Amino acid sequence: MPVRGGLVTPVRLHIGIDDTDSTKGGCTTYIAALLVERFSQRKLRFVDYPDIIRLNPNIPYKTRGNAAVALRLQIPASEYEAVREITITTLEENSQMGELATDPAAVFLQGEPSSLISELSRRALTGIVSIPQATKVIREAGGSAVAYGSGLGLVGAVAAVGQMLKGDHTYELVAYRVRRNLGKPRLVDRDSVIRMDRLTSPDTFNNYDPEHKRVLVAPHGPDPVLLGLRGETPHAVLNAFRMLKIREPIERYVIFRTNHGTDAHFQSAGSVEQSLGPNRPVWLSGVVSEKPLRIAGGHVFVKLRSSRRTIECAAFEPTGKFKETVANLIPGDEVTVFGGVRSQEGSQRSRITVNLEKLRVDRLGEDLMAKNPQCPNCGKRMKSAGRAQGFRCLRCKYSFAGASKQIMRRPRMIRPGIYVPDRKAHRHLTKPLSRYGLEKRMWDGKPPEGVWHQP
Ligand SMILES: [Zn+2]
C-alpha cells in the first residue's frame, strides 16, 4: 500500500477505560466488548486481546471488583480521530452517568507505555494513586484523556494502559445478556457448569464451589454480564463455554486477557516495612505468638511476630475452611501470610491488622503437653503427691516418688502448605490452588486469533 502524507503510517494505540458502572448496573468490560465490535467493523487490527486489569483490591471506596480495561490496536494514523470519537460516544452512551461513585474516564496513548506509566500502574495495584498523580503521568507521556464526574476513573484507565500483562496472565470469556433480560435470574444450567468444571479443570478455574455447592461463573447483580469463564488459554475458555447449557439469548461474548488468579498484587508488594500502610497488599513471614482467638460471628484472629513487631491477622467467617486452618495454628508455627492491611483510622497507630487472603504454613511447631505418668501397677493416671514428692495412684494407692510428668505430642490438624479461602470468598486476583505450577513466565505477544469475540 502506498504511503501518502503519512495517512497509512500505522500507530500503536492503547485505550484505557475505567469506572463506567455503578451498583445499579453497567459494566466496564461491556463497553470494551462494544468497542471490540465497532473497531472490528472498521477492520482495525488488535495487537492483544482486550485486557481486564484488576487493581488494588483493598481500596475502601471500591466495594466491587476494581477492574479497568485496556484495548490495544495498531491503526492507520488517519483512523485515530475516528477511534477516539467512537470510544467517547460508546462510553457516554453506556456508562451509568450521574450515579453515585460512577466517574467514567478513557485514556488514549500512542506508542508504547513509558516506564512512568508502568510505575504508576504498579502503584495502582499495591497502593492508592491520586487523580492529580494520574493526570500528571498522562500529560508527561503525551497521552490524552476524557473524564466525567470526579475524574477518579482516570486512575484505573491509565493504570490499565500501563499494565501490559507481560508475565503471568489468564483469560476470561465474558458473555453478555440481551437488554430485556437485565435484572432477571440468569438461566445457566447448573449441572452443565459442574460437568464443564470436572472436564476442563485445571485449564479453567473458579467455575464452581463444591464446599458451598455454588455456581461461580455467573454474577447476581443487574449488570449485563451473563457469565465469565476463567482459564489458562483462549481455547480453554471457549471450549468450556461451548459445554454449557444456557437457556437465554446471548448478546455477545469476548475473550479477555487478565491478571485474574495471578497474585499480581502480592508480586508487586514492596518490602514488609514499606508495605504496612493502610489498604496495601502485603505478604510477610513470622512466627505465631499467641493461640488464635475466635470471636462472635465466626471470625478468627491470630497474632504473628515478625521483625520485632506483632501483627494481628484476621480470617473472616466467609472464608470457610480457611479460617479453621488459621484457628488450628499454635504458638511457634512459622507461617507466611498474604493479605490487605486494614486501615486503622483513629486507633492506636502501632496496631496493624492484616485481612488474610492466603496462608502458607512453612513449619509446624510441636504441640506439646505434660501429662501425669500412668500407674505401673494398675495403669490409671496418677496424681501429683505434692511438689517434688512424686506421684500417687488414687485407685490402688501405689506411690512412686521417682516418677515425673510425661511429655506428650498432640497430633496436628494441619500440614505445611498453601491455604486459600473457599472459592466463593476468593478475590479476583487471588491465585487459586489449581493454578500453582501453571504460571506463565511471559506472554507470546501474538494478536488474538480464531473466534475470540462475537458478534
Ligand atoms: Zn494404680
Side-chain angles (χ1 to χ4, degrees):
M1 200 187 273
V3 179
R4 261 185 291 129
L7 284 183
V8 290
T9 314
V11 293
R12 242 342 127 86
L13 177 64
H14 301 261
I15 305 170
I17 303 170
D18 190 25
D19 214 359
T20 66
D21 48 0
S22 78
T23 50
K24 291 188 185 163
C27 179
T28 303
T29 71
Y30 181 66
I31 291 178
L34 291 176
L35 289 173
V36 163
E37 184 192 358
R38 290 170 191 180
F39 295 158
S40 299
Q41 282 165 354
R42 290 182 82 90
K43 309 266 182 267
L44 299 179
R45 183 172 162 245
F46 286 85
V47 294
D48 189 356
Y49 292 84
D51 297 337
I52 298 177
I53 306 295
R54 298 279 169 180
L55 302 169
N56 186 355
N58 305 300
I59 294 199
Y61 45 80
K62 287 284 183 188
T63 49
R64 300 211 296 152
N66 201 9
V69 300
L71 297 167
R72 309 185 198 277
L73 302 146
Q74 177 123 322
I75 58 168
S78 57
E79 284 281 323
Y80 177 74
E81 278 310 318
V83 166
R84 204 182 135 90
E85 251 340 283
I86 291 168
T87 306
I88 293 170
T89 311
T90 309
L91 189 72
E92 287 179 347
E93 285 171 359
N94 293 280
S95 294
Q96 303 286 304
M97 296 278 192
E99 291 292 341
L100 189 67
T102 299
D103 306 294
V107 167
F108 303 87
L109 180 79
Q110 295 187 46
E112 292 310 310
S114 63
S115 56
L116 271 178
I117 293 190
S118 312
E119 171 56 22
L120 179 131
S121 199
R122 199 187 65 79
R123 276 194 288 134
L125 253 176
T126 58
I128 294 179
V129 173
S130 71
I131 299 170
Q133 285 168 336
T135 312
K136 184 164 176 277
V137 166
I138 296 165
R139 200 173 44 235
E140 285 173 4
S144 71
V146 287
Y148 306 85
S150 72
L152 196 57
L154 285 172
V155 175
V158 67
V161 161
Q163 181 51 258
M164 302 280 282
L165 300 175
K166 285 178 178 165
D168 194 18
H169 57 273
T170 59
Y171 293 83
E172 179 166 2
L173 182 151
V174 186
Y176 301 92
R177 325 182 73 185
V178 296
R179 192 171 284 266
R180 67 171 189 275
N181 281 336
L182 299 187
K184 296 182 187 166
R186 288 164 171 82
L187 303 181
V188 180
D189 179 77
R190 172 191 187 83
D191 290 341
S192 73
V193 174
I194 297 170
R195 183 169 176 275
M196 175 275 285
D197 182 61
R198 202 177 58 234
L199 293 174
T200 63
S201 173
D203 290 336
T204 65
F205 57 91
N206 288 5
N207 301 311
Y208 183 71
D209 182 342
E211 301 286 343
H212 303 269
K213 302 194 183 337
R214 192 186 284 199
V215 169
L216 302 177
V217 298
H220 300 280
D223 55 288
V225 173
L226 173 63
L227 56 85
L229 301 175
R230 295 166 179 204
E232 297 301 322
T233 63
H235 173 77
V237 292
L238 187 59
N239 180 39
F241 181 53
R242 287 171 174 160
M243 289 181 181
L244 296 182
K245 280 192 199 128
I246 297 165
R247 288 189 296 264
E248 66 170 81
I250 291 162
E251 190 197 81
R252 67 186 65 240
Y253 74 80
V254 172
I255 296 175
F256 293 87
R257 210 159 68 83
T258 78
N259 59 0
H260 293 156
T262 64
D263 275 356
H265 55 323
F266 293 131
Q267 279 154 28
S268 301
S271 77
V272 168
E273 292 301 324
Q274 282 173 342
S275 307
L276 286 177
N279 307 314
R280 284 177 168 276
V282 286
W283 63 269
L284 59 121
S285 297
V287 179
V288 174
S289 62
E290 281 177 35
K291 203 170 169 307
L293 179 72
R294 194 189 293 268
I295 64 158
H299 315 307
V300 176
F301 288 82
V302 62
K303 286 199 169 114
L304 200 66
R305 206 172 50 248
S306 171
S307 49
R308 282 173 304 173
R309 70 196 302 173
T310 299
I311 288 149
E312 186 158 56
C313 302
F316 291 110
E317 198 284 327
T319 61
K321 274 188 176 168
F322 178 72
K323 67 174 189 300
E324 301 307 326
T325 303
V326 174
N328 275 311
L329 291 169
I330 60 166
D333 284 346
E334 293 171 23
V335 298
T336 303
V337 295
F338 302 77
V341 177
R342 200 161 56 176
S343 75
Q344 301 283 317
E345 286 146 35
S347 68
Q348 316 98 300
R349 248 173 295 148
S350 58
R351 218 180 117 231
I352 284 168
T353 304
V354 174
N355 293 348
L356 292 181
E357 264 178 71
K358 180 173 297 207
L359 168 74
R360 196 177 72 212
V361 177
D362 298 314
R363 215 177 68 87
L364 287 176
E366 287 191 325
D367 194 3
L368 300 178
M369 63 176 172
K371 270 194 163 177
N372 290 350
Q374 281 176 297
C375 171
N377 194 30
C378 76
K380 190 176 164 59
R381 293 235 173 253
M382 302 200 286
K383 284 274 181 232
S384 170
R387 204 176 150 77
Q389 291 178 47
F391 290 83
R392 215 169 94 81
C393 177
L394 293 182
R395 188 193 282 164
C396 72
K397 311 296 179 204
Y398 183 87
S399 179
F400 186 7
S404 57
K405 288 206 174 215
Q406 292 175 314
I407 303 299
M408 311 279 284
R409 190 173 289 139
R410 273 201 204 94
R412 296 298 307 271
M413 308 308 284
I414 52 175
R415 291 175 183 192
I418 292 168
Y419 296 87
V420 296
D422 286 358
R423 288 187 206 177
K424 75 174 169 97
H426 266 207
R427 286 191 145 148
H428 296 289
L429 282 167
T430 304
K431 179 157 56 173
L433 291 179
S434 65
R435 282 210 74 238
Y436 280 79
L438 298 180
E439 299 88 348
K440 303 170 188 79
R441 265 197 235 137
M442 55 186 293
W443 178 49
D444 61 15
K446 282 189 195 146
E449 52 188 32
V451 198
W452 63 279
H453 68 94
Q454 241 170 24

